[in-house]
Amino acid sequence: MTPIDRRRALRAGAGVAVAAALATSCADDGGPAPAAPAAPAALSPTPSPGRARDTRTTTAAPAARRYPGQPAQITHGPRDGDRVALTFHGAGDPATANAVLAEAERAGARVTVLAVGDWLDEHPGLARRILDGGHDLGNHTRRHLTINEMPEADAYAEITGCAERLRRLTGSIGTWFRPSRTQYATPLVVRLARRAGYPHVLSYDLDSLDATSPGATAVTRTVAGQIQRGSVVSLHFGYADTVAALPPLLDDLHRRGLRAVTTTELLS
């Protein structure tokens, strides 16, 4: 074998090793392994040390869109229909997140997940898991800081930082933007979200208070007692109360003739 042939063989062997390592990483994350390593998109940030990296290529996910007649900051959908939107703060233990999704799907419900960018870095396979379940996936800032109190440049970086992660994982910036640590965005944050590609900020008209860990019965009672047609409900991944509250809550909605759908479906 000539020296040139030897160098070619070594390069080919290295390529196989890299592909095998990526396949193992993706399999550990719960998603399908790629046939070969894919180059990251141009806007992809460099992952922090020790965090998982997902370079799978997938069909582009639905992107944010403008809804004529809807305000820049949406709190609820039509009050004359039979639909409601259950929206989830996307962070916390991935096992709990998967349990919430499984309970929703078991009841034929679809939800909206507003994911924190750092959480997506740590659990990249959940982005595709959410979309493959028929759910909406959106942006809840990169680090989940108090965005309304941040300087303009920092607030914009929080929005675009999560948007870049969503684009890297799904092919789009996501369907919605929700500000972090607040129900309502300031006019400045609304403008920054629009600049980043989100025509609307997604707020809500009903807080389940599940993040206070009041117990599953209290979560169900709060939502069932206040929900209206067209309501957008704020809930969270990462809390056992939320998982336990979901089946009786969905049963209650069904008895009342209400359907839990994605926010996109709610407003379509």
Side-chain angles (χ1 to χ4, degrees), residues 222-253:
T222 297
V223 178
Q226 299 179 39
I227 201 163
Q228 305 176 56
R229 293 177 181 272
S231 278
V232 176
V233 185
S234 171
L235 294 140
H236 294 73
F237 285 166
Y239 293 88
D241 289 352
T242 309
V243 179
L246 208 51
L249 173 58
L250 291 170
D251 286 345
D252 181 79
L253 296 180

Side-chain angles (χ1 to χ4, degrees), residues 86 101 103-111 133-135 250 259-262:
L86 305 181
L101 294 171
E103 290 295 350
E105 290 159 8
R106 190 173 293 115
R110 297 294 176 263
V111 304
H135 311 289
L250 291 170
R259 293 191 296 136
V261 299
T262 65

